[in-house]
């Protein structure tokens, strides 16, 4: 019987498969994880705010979030995202303000990566 992998190992494997992260050398990936700021948030907490500066991406490790756009007519739900996922990376790469708000749907754990 093959050895069981931990949920953390499975999450890292899935994150490593993301096209942006996949292009990183192993040393950069390790640095990304070691320098990331761990966090948790309860349902309803806002992780990224539409219009704010894109200074960090979020590596969602556990939980689920919703992505909403704030319009003159109110909020529009764009997506629901379950962990593992990389969020907010496009704004960081392109140096653009956030295009949507990301809010926890369930308790989440994440790494904020500058």
């Amino acid at each position: 019987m093959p050895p069981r992998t931990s949920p953390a190992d499975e999450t890292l494997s899935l994150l490593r498969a993301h096209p942006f992260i996949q292009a990183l050398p192993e040393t950069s990936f390790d640095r990304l994880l070691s320098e990331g700021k761990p966090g948790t948030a309860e349902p309803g907490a806002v992780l990224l705010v539409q219009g704010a500066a894109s200074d960090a991406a979020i590596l969602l490790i556990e939980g689920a979030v919703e992505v909403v756009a704030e319009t003159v007519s109110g909020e529009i739900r764009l997506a629901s995202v379950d962990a593992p996922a990389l969020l907010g990376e496009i704004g960081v790469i392109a140096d653009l303000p956030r295009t949507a708000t990301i809010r926890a749907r369930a308790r989440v754990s994440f790494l904020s990566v500058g």
Side-chain angles (χ1 to χ4, degrees), residues 2-3 11 16 22 25 28 30 33-34 37 39 41 49 52 56 58 60 65 83-84 91 95 97 104 110 114:
T11 297
R16 189 68 171 114
Q22 195 173 47
S28 296
D30 292 343
L33 295 177
S34 68
K37 296 177 183 157
V49 178
I58 298 288
L60 186 63
V65 298
D95 194 26
F110 60 90

Side-chain angles (χ1 to χ4, degrees), residues 10-107:
E10 291 174 13
T11 297
L12 289 177
S13 293
L14 288 169
L15 288 172
R16 189 68 171 114
H18 187 282
F20 173 69
I21 292 176
Q22 195 173 47
L24 294 175
E26 196 64 34
T27 55
S28 296
F29 179 67
D30 292 343
R31 183 174 169 209
L32 184 92
L33 295 177
S34 68
E35 293 181 5
K37 296 177 183 157
T40 59
E42 297 301 320
V46 174
L47 303 178
L48 301 176
V49 178
Q50 181 175 328
S54 296
D55 57 352
I58 298 288
L59 291 170
L60 186 63
I61 298 168
E62 293 179 320
V65 298
E66 62 182 348
V67 181
V68 297
E70 299 165 17
T71 72
V72 295
S73 301
E75 268 188 8
I76 298 173
R77 187 170 179 207
L78 301 174
S80 178
V81 180
D82 295 324
L86 180 62
L87 307 165
E89 76 280 12
I90 300 300
V92 174
I93 294 166
D95 194 26
L96 295 171
R98 303 281 179 208
T99 57
T101 293
I102 297 180
R103 183 172 36 236
R105 279 191 11 235
R107 187 170 198 285

